[in-house]
Amino acid sequence: MSHDRRDAVRGRPRHRRSASLVLAVALLVSACGSAGPTASPGVSPIASAASGTASTGPSASPVTTTPSDAAAIYATIENQVMAIRGLTQKSPVQPTVLDDAGIKKLVSDSFAKDNPKEVMDANERILKAFGLLPADANLTQLYVSLLGSQVAGLYNPDNKKLYVVSKSGALGAIEKTTFSHEFTHALQDQNFNLSTLKLDEIGQGDRSFGRLALVEGDATLSMSLWQIQNLSQAELGQLLTAGSDDASTKILLGMPAILREALLFPYTWGLSFVQGLQTSGGWSAVNAAFAKPPASSEQILHPEKFASGEQPIPVALPTDLATKLGSGWKVALEDTFGEFQIATWLRSDTALGAAKANDAAAGWGGDRIALVEGPGGAWSVILKTAWDTPADATAFEAAAKPTVAGLASPGSVLPGAGGSERWVLIASDAATLTRVSGVLGLAG
């Protein structure tokens, strides 16, 4: 069944320091049975938009006192989840119940702490350059609004605290479902040490996104099985009602696709990925994935590449890029965009069509993206991509050229070394575009 609010395993946004809560019940879009996600691959907001793990606790006090039998209810759910997941609790976890104001404050405070203004500004510039945000949008405000409206619970690996949102203070179907999801995160942390996944490592946004999908897919599958086994028909009906008549849904649907799809990806595609592992190899296969986790969003979108151990192609930008551009230039952000985000970007060109966009991104081998800023407000976004084959590079170029042509700022899609590299350059003006292409040794 579906529960339409999110959980958050708190954390920083990904990419350069991303901006979203990593292990948040940020969209408990769980599914009954084995059905996989129906959404097409999305993209995680580039530089910092989607990954985090919150570290600070809310200063707001818990909503009302939970029912007197809450401890017994939580203990029962813990035993049920452990039986489903096959993991043992090593230390107790005491949930804190928050009202809407409490969770919004927690999310806002954590977001501000984990996402410096300069990082968010750079991410905003990149997303706008790619046409993924309206020109007048404020990325920080959008993120805080999105996460504050979607998070239904949160587990913080830093301080080992678990939070559940309850509007009434009662412990109903939604709150119990959320707790089952967040408790799975606590079990993951106690058994696999979530910090070893390095979900917040700067400059490794796409890798963090893939690993987050493992973490959230695991918790979503565990939660889904718990729902099926332990909720009554009436309680399942309550979840459906809450999911279909929730103001948070309006906020989610009103968000730019890059933010909406990035929030959903770890739960939908992550669920499909983990279901595949669990179906073929049981929970031991899922456990093994924590020891050797996904290396990219590509491995989540194409599980066979995870199974075969196909790693991203290393891609590097010139280390002296800012120096070559001249006095006053700097590299404001550098990260990996990844197949998920490239596909989301290409899908923004409605004339291309979603199927062709996804196909054009599917041959992704690796990439590196950077924002460079110079005097007088000049800037450029540089995306260097490597593809599995020359044919894949050609397919990407064919899709990217009309997409770039439709952007508000001047841009180019250019060949790189060999037949399997392509560059995408976008700049504040034509002169800057020419300057950057020349410094990179690319034909304009």
Side-chain angles (χ1 to χ4, degrees), residues 298 302 305 339 343 356-365 387-388 392:
E298 176 190 48
H302 310 282
K305 296 191 175 186
E339 180 182 339
K356 289 184 178 179
N358 293 339
D359 287 345
W364 180 89
W387 298 85
D388 291 337
D392 291 325

Side-chain angles (χ1 to χ4, degrees), residues 42 77 160 164 240 261 340:
I77 296 173
K160 315 304 180 187
V164 174
L240 288 174
E261 294 190 28
F340 176 59

